[in-house]
Amino acid sequence: MLTLKGKIGLVVLAAGALLAITPAQAEDASATATYKDIQATLGSVPDMFKTLPDVAVAGAWAEIKGVQLNPNTALDGKTKELLGLAVAAQIPCQYCIYFHTEAAKLNGASDEEIKEAVAMAAIVRHWSTMLNGSQVDLATFKKQTDDVFAAVKAKSQ
């Protein structure tokens, strides 16, 4: 049974925890600054960003700017968007399919490259279904794959 001193301590602890959890103004300021950066970068703030809680906006935008929109990554913009389209086709997400198709075109992808990215996604999905559904032994599959690539490599030399 809690004593009066223990109950007061618990109330103080709970109040302190609540105060520590509510830095709303700092988070709101971060979201406001992020929305300004999104506006400056994209020309508007798409509603998709407004679906996020304020505390998540800065992190989500940093991820997009740091990878997807960053021209100084290992993959070029066209490749990143074709990958995005291939994944979107598999999820499937009609929003993502539309976005990544248009972004791929903006980054120079041809209609043929877009079709090929979707076809590759379909091929991977097909064989994944076959291999997983048939419960093919993974160690055997890896060994056979290594053997195939070794033979192809030897042939090319």
Side-chain angles (χ1 to χ4, degrees):
M1 185 107 150
L2 282 175
T3 64
L4 180 60
K5 185 177 178 182
K7 288 179 185 177
I8 292 172
L10 247 153
V11 169
V12 170
L13 181 65
L18 280 175
L19 290 174
I21 294 174
T22 44
Q25 289 179 326
E27 296 302 339
D28 290 346
S30 176
T32 301
T34 301
Y35 285 137
K36 285 180 183 174
D37 188 40
I38 294 169
Q39 173 76 36
T41 304
L42 302 179
S44 66
V45 179
D47 285 345
M48 63 183 252
F49 291 103
K50 297 172 186 173
T51 65
L52 296 167
D54 284 348
V55 298
V57 173
W61 180 238
E63 181 178 51
I64 289 171
K65 275 187 87 172
V67 179
Q68 187 175 3
L69 300 179
N70 186 347
N72 301 315
T73 60
L75 298 175
D76 62 32
K78 179 170 75 172
T79 302
K80 287 186 266 191
E81 296 306 337
L82 289 171
L83 283 166
L85 172 58
V87 171
Q90 291 304 318
I91 295 173
C93 174
Q94 63 184 345
Y95 306 97
C96 302
I97 290 167
Y98 182 79
F99 180 90
H100 291 289
T101 299
E102 295 305 310
K105 289 177 184 177
L106 184 66
N107 279 277
S110 67
D111 288 343
E112 226 23 60
E113 288 171 315
I114 289 167
K115 289 177 189 177
E116 194 170 312
V118 174
M120 277 301 302
I123 290 167
V124 171
R125 179 78 172 240
H126 168 83
W127 284 106
S128 173
T129 301
M130 292 303 302
L131 293 165
N132 280 294
S134 300
Q135 299 182 42
V136 170
D137 180 69
L138 181 58
T140 301
F141 176 82
K142 285 182 175 183
K143 168 81 170 84
Q144 290 172 348
T145 298
D146 293 344
D147 291 347
V148 165
F149 287 133
V152 169
K153 187 176 177 182
K155 248 185 184 182
S156 70
Q157 295 177 353

